[in-house]
């Protein structure tokens, strides 16, 4: 994710996951979308910079998914609750 990918889309601030420049890499067509920025993190995005937002190492395929997931999943698990048994 780069700072340049934070954009207004239909008057909503979003993370732009659409290959509109021709140089972006995405898993597949279905993963291309606009993701609205949650209100709680908007203040963190006021000071816009340039380039990569995060410093996770980049894999051979040019993505940081594995490294980012390894670093963030323990934090995500702390704030999510398991689904109740059905």
């Amino acid at each position: 994710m780069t700072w340049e990918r934070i954009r207004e889309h239909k008057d909503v601030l979003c993370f732009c996951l659409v290959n509109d420049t021709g140089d972006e890499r995405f898993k597949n067509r279905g993963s291309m979308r606009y993701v609205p920025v949650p209100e709680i993190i908007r203040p963190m995005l006021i000071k816009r910079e340039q380039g990569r937002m995060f410093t996770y190492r980049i894999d051979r395929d040019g993505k940081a998914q594995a490294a980012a997931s390894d670093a963030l999943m323990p934090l995500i698990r702390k704030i999510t609750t398991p689904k109740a048994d059905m």
Side-chain angles (χ1 to χ4, degrees):
M1 176 63 68
T2 63
W3 287 98
E4 294 80 11
R5 289 271 154 205
I6 300 172
R7 301 190 187 152
E8 294 280 332
H9 177 69
K10 297 184 179 180
D11 297 324
V12 176
L13 188 65
C14 294
F15 296 111
C16 174
L17 304 178
V18 175
N19 190 2
D20 55 359
T21 62
D23 61 352
E24 296 294 327
R25 301 174 94 178
F26 296 97
K27 273 193 300 194
N28 53 48
R29 278 186 121 168
S31 67
M32 290 191 230
R33 62 196 178 277
Y34 291 93
V35 179
V37 172
E39 290 296 323
I40 196 165
I41 65 170
R42 277 178 173 256
M44 297 175 205
L45 304 176
I46 291 172
K47 182 185 169 199
R48 304 249 181 110
E49 299 181 26
Q50 291 184 335
R52 292 181 62 206
M53 293 178 76
F54 308 103
T55 59
Y56 300 110
R57 89 181 132 72
I58 303 227
D59 296 336
R60 283 181 282 152
D61 61 0
K63 300 176 187 172
Q65 289 178 336
S69 178
D70 291 346
L72 297 174
M73 282 312 292
L75 300 172
I76 292 169
R77 286 188 183 103
K78 286 182 182 181
I79 60 170
T80 57
T81 57
K83 291 182 180 179
D85 292 329
M86 297 184 166

